Amino acid sequence: MKDSFIPFSRPTIGEEEINEVVDSLSSGWITTGPKVSQLEKMFAQRFSVKDSLAVNSGTAAWHLLAHSLNIGPGDEVILPSITWPSMANIIEHLGATPIFADVDKDTVIMKPSEVERLINDNTKAILPVHYAGAAADIDAYKSIIGDHPITIVEDAAHAIGSHYKGSEVGCHSDAIVFSFHPTKSMTTGEGGLLICKDPYIMNKARSLSLNGVGKSAWERLSQSSANYELTEPGYKYNMLDMQAALGIHQLKKLDNFITLRTVLVERYQNLLSGIGTVQPIGFVDYPIKHSWHIYVVKLNLNLLKMSRNAYVDKLKSQGIGVGIHFEAVHMLEYL
Ligand SMILES: Cc1ncc(COP(=O)(O)O)c(C=O)c1O
């Protein structure tokens, strides 16, 4: 790799994050504790909800939610095939069936007409992706779902800070999951967060995130009674205070990060306009604020006279890090 290699992504970590992590390290308590609670409260406040649940990945947030919604054998979940495979994996792990919907060729957002085509009595949830940071058309999905008992879960792994029709994504549906992977617009190293408007589901997901015993080590060992119960076998998905230490400051800086990304995007748009070989993907035609998690281009392979993979390799050999977002899940070997 050349010294001058431009990475696909690099987290922006400042003194505030570093000092907060050091504070966590020197406090004597580094796993789930007060800093995780602080981050959860900051999210709850931002989204005007009672509660949010910070966990160790976006995938874990979806797993806890899907389990809490009792998604299981015989159930179907509609999701775009252009997504990260972990989201489909969870549906498989729960014994349910992922149903892959096509995306709009231009915007790469799951088509409402596909939801209409695929929906049936077995559909338990739909999991649209706010692709690259552009909000999916939640109202269009809602009007198709109508009175059916189907949960809309927004996959906002790309879209923390994005808006849909005037308010932040997550305010328009039943539940939302975020990812704080280091390539995302804000990071906790690895991490994720769940918000669900149903308090019963939130409580269940919280308990499941702590092996099913309902209390974190912080609560058991210091705050509340040391007793615990096992109500249902859960998972070990809790976020660490060391991770939340990053998130507390990343969230404070998020809107500023998005403003800076927007300036860079304008530069890309100008520089790439009129280049036939590389075309930015299209914009949706309803009002959104884009968070620009990634800047996605389509390649005109006829003009380029080479394959996509050859083009990617060439960019990399010239010191430019790129990724493929995504390989269509239904085309992968397992399926
Ligand atoms: C669209 C989408 N959904 C979900 C995830 C999963 O997030 P995590 O890596 O935090 O589990 C990702 C991760 O890249 C993603 O891109």
Side-chain angles (χ1 to χ4, degrees):
M1 199 185 289
K2 288 183 188 173
D3 283 339
S4 58
F5 192 84
I6 302 166
F8 167 72
S9 134
R10 188 167 38 207
T12 306
I13 305 290
E15 284 299 312
E16 299 83 358
E17 286 88 333
I18 293 168
N19 291 339
E20 197 75 46
V21 173
V22 170
D23 182 65
S24 185
L25 291 173
S26 50
S27 73
W29 191 266
I30 56 178
T31 185
T32 313
K35 290 195 198 295
V36 171
S37 297
Q38 189 183 338
L39 183 65
E40 288 175 341
K41 282 196 186 98
M42 287 169 72
F43 265 91
Q45 215 167 9
R46 184 167 176 134
F47 287 89
S48 306
V49 289
K50 275 206 174 124
D51 202 11
S52 81
L53 174 64
V55 289
N56 59 16
S57 72
T59 307
W62 164 231
H63 195 177
L64 293 167
L65 177 67
H67 182 137
S68 303
L69 290 168
N70 286 327
I71 291 174
D75 295 330
E76 297 182 356
V77 178
I78 300 174
L79 74 171
S81 182
I82 301 293
T83 188
W84 182 238
S86 69
M87 303 308 265
N89 289 351
I90 294 302
I91 302 166
E92 283 279 305
H93 286 317
L94 291 172
T97 309
I99 303 291
F100 294 109
D102 208 349
V103 296
D104 182 90
K105 260 192 174 166
D106 201 28
T107 62
V108 197
I109 302 267
M110 182 166 79
K111 287 185 193 171
S113 60
E114 281 285 280
V115 175
E116 195 157 28
R117 182 174 72 83
L118 297 168
I119 206 165
N120 65 62
D121 288 345
N122 297 325
T123 310
K124 198 79 183 263
I126 69 166
L127 184 63
V129 174
H130 295 310
Y131 182 76
D137 196 355
I138 300 298
D139 283 349
Y141 307 133
K142 269 188 186 167
S143 68
I144 292 161
I145 287 172
D147 293 334
H148 293 279
I150 294 172
T151 308
I152 301 180
V153 182
E154 298 174 54
D155 179 344
H158 295 182
I160 171 84
S162 299
H163 287 219
Y164 172 68
K165 296 188 177 173
S167 49
E168 202 153 349
V169 295
C171 300
H172 309 85
S173 67
D174 306 303
I176 186 156
V177 293
F178 295 107
S179 163
F180 307 135
H181 183 269
T183 58
K184 301 299 192 292
S185 303
M186 64 163 274
T187 187
T188 57
E190 291 277 355
L193 187 125
L194 165 66
I195 291 175
C196 179
K197 295 199 176 128
D198 181 338
Y200 169 80
I201 299 287
M202 279 305 282
N203 286 340
K204 189 166 172 183
R206 186 175 293 281
S207 178
L208 287 170
S209 74
L210 298 161
N211 294 313
V213 300
K215 281 183 187 173
S216 68
W218 173 257
E219 290 164 320
R220 280 184 285 113
L221 303 179
S222 57
Q223 281 190 330
S224 64
S225 108
N227 302 92
Y228 54 89
E229 247 319 330
L230 178 70
T231 46
E232 188 181 356
Y235 311 93
K236 178 74 173 153
Y237 280 165
N238 51 312
M239 180 184 274
L240 312 180
D241 262 23
M242 286 188 297
Q243 296 171 296
L246 291 172
I248 288 164
H249 294 284
Q250 291 273 293
L251 183 58
K252 287 181 191 162
K253 297 176 181 178
L254 175 69
D255 294 320
N256 209 18
F257 287 160
I258 293 173
T259 305
L260 293 172
R261 282 170 183 270
T262 307
V263 170
L264 294 177
V265 164
E266 277 164 19
R267 211 181 286 171
Y268 278 128
Q269 296 289 95
N270 288 334
L271 291 169
L272 291 176
S273 74
I275 299 182
T277 47
V278 175
Q279 292 160 345
I281 59 167
F283 287 104
V284 296
D285 60 4
Y286 41 87
I288 63 156
K289 178 184 160 198
H290 207 306
S291 60
W292 297 114
H293 155 55
I294 41 177
Y295 185 78
V296 182
V297 293
K298 285 187 189 170
L299 305 179
N300 185 329
L301 299 177
N302 288 336
L303 281 182
L304 281 169
K305 298 193 171 48
M306 67 173 91
S307 71
R308 178 192 67 182
N309 289 353
Y311 191 79
V312 165
D313 289 346
K314 200 161 180 192
L315 281 174
K316 289 195 174 179
S317 72
Q318 297 194 6
I320 301 168
V322 289
I324 294 169
H325 285 76
F326 297 96
E327 306 276 6
V329 181
H330 73 281
M331 304 286 280
L332 298 175
E333 190 182 313
Y334 171 74
L335 293 119

